[in-house]
Amino acid sequence: MNPKRVLVAYGSKHGATRGIADEIGRTLQADGFEAVVLPADAVSDVSGYDGVVLGGALYAGHWNGKARRCARRNAEQLRHRPVWLFSSGPVDSSAEQRDIPPVPGVARRMKKLGAREHMTFGGAVTAETPGRISRSLVRHGKGGDFRNPERIQDWAHHIGTELGTTR
Ligand SMILES: Cc1cc2nc3c(=O)[nH]c(=O)nc-3n(C[C@H](O)[C@H](O)[C@H](O)COP(=O)(O)O)c2cc1C
């Protein structure tokens, strides 16, 4: 029997969300899936996938535009397959301490797509992150990498369990 194919798509401005998507993809591959990780703006057709995970970075309370447009562009196909959404955001440990609900735009998207679940992961702003606000956050000791590989892997295993490995 063939392994199930899963697309992990991400909308990332500075790479933190891409790192989360890569971790999800690696975990699903280790669990026996054929997992493909792609930037959200490169996704034009999801019909070849048995499940889709779509994530976006949060900026000023909004999901990254590439993730938003990917969801809109592929809405019809996404409605007909299992979909999970995630956000990469808080640059503190809040996402470790409690479930952070999706921002309103993502909550609406979940409903439209019939997405199964949403997860908020801690994000990252480091000395390497470009931009004036990022530099200021880091300078004031408010930056850091709050992505927790274990938490990301746990969620990916959970998705794998829900999907079942073979076609
Ligand atoms: C200017 C700016 C605005 C941000 N706004 C939010 C926000 O509204 N909510 C949130 O949870 N995180 C916010 N963050 C944190 C980012 O979402 C986090 O750093 C994310 O992991 C970045 O992902 P990326 O590197 O893939 O773009 C903000 C960061 C910056 C630099």
Side-chain angles (χ1 to χ4, degrees):
M1 276 203 275
N2 291 326
K4 280 195 171 166
R5 298 190 78 219
V6 187
L7 172 67
V8 185
Y10 61 88
S12 176
K13 202 166 164 189
H14 298 310
T17 313
R18 185 185 63 217
I20 294 172
D22 284 341
E23 189 71 56
I24 293 171
R26 270 194 301 274
T27 306
L28 286 169
Q29 277 163 8
D31 284 353
F33 293 89
E34 193 184 323
V36 176
V37 182
L38 285 177
D41 53 350
V43 177
S44 54
D45 182 6
V46 300
S47 60
Y49 298 98
D50 300 294
V52 177
V53 184
L54 173 62
L58 291 174
Y59 284 92
H62 294 281
W63 226 30
N64 175 278
K66 291 173 202 161
R68 280 204 311 266
R69 287 189 289 276
C70 177
R72 208 176 301 140
R73 209 170 44 245
N74 295 286
E76 189 50 38
Q77 291 286 346
L78 289 170
R79 268 197 290 274
H80 292 101
R81 44 191 38 76
V83 171
W84 289 262
L85 304 182
F86 73 89
S87 302
S88 115
V91 189
D92 57 30
S93 59
S94 57
E96 302 279 303
Q97 289 152 11
R98 60 189 170 90
D99 279 341
I100 298 181
V103 296
V106 176
R108 280 195 298 276
R109 196 84 48 202
M110 277 192 82
K111 273 202 185 142
K112 277 191 189 147
L113 302 178
R116 293 199 176 186
E117 262 175 52
H118 170 272
M119 180 67 87
T120 301
F121 293 112
V125 172
T126 67
E128 283 77 48
T129 310
R132 192 174 46 82
I133 299 176
S134 309
R135 274 197 303 277
S136 167
L137 285 171
V138 171
R139 203 173 329 113
H140 291 93
K142 292 189 174 141
D145 188 345
F146 289 87
R147 295 171 297 174
N148 177 339
E150 232 173 77
R151 210 166 151 255
I152 298 165
Q153 288 158 14
D154 283 351
W155 195 59
H157 287 313
H158 161 72
I159 289 172
T161 305
E162 288 223 338
L163 268 173
T165 43
T166 49
R167 279 185 149 163

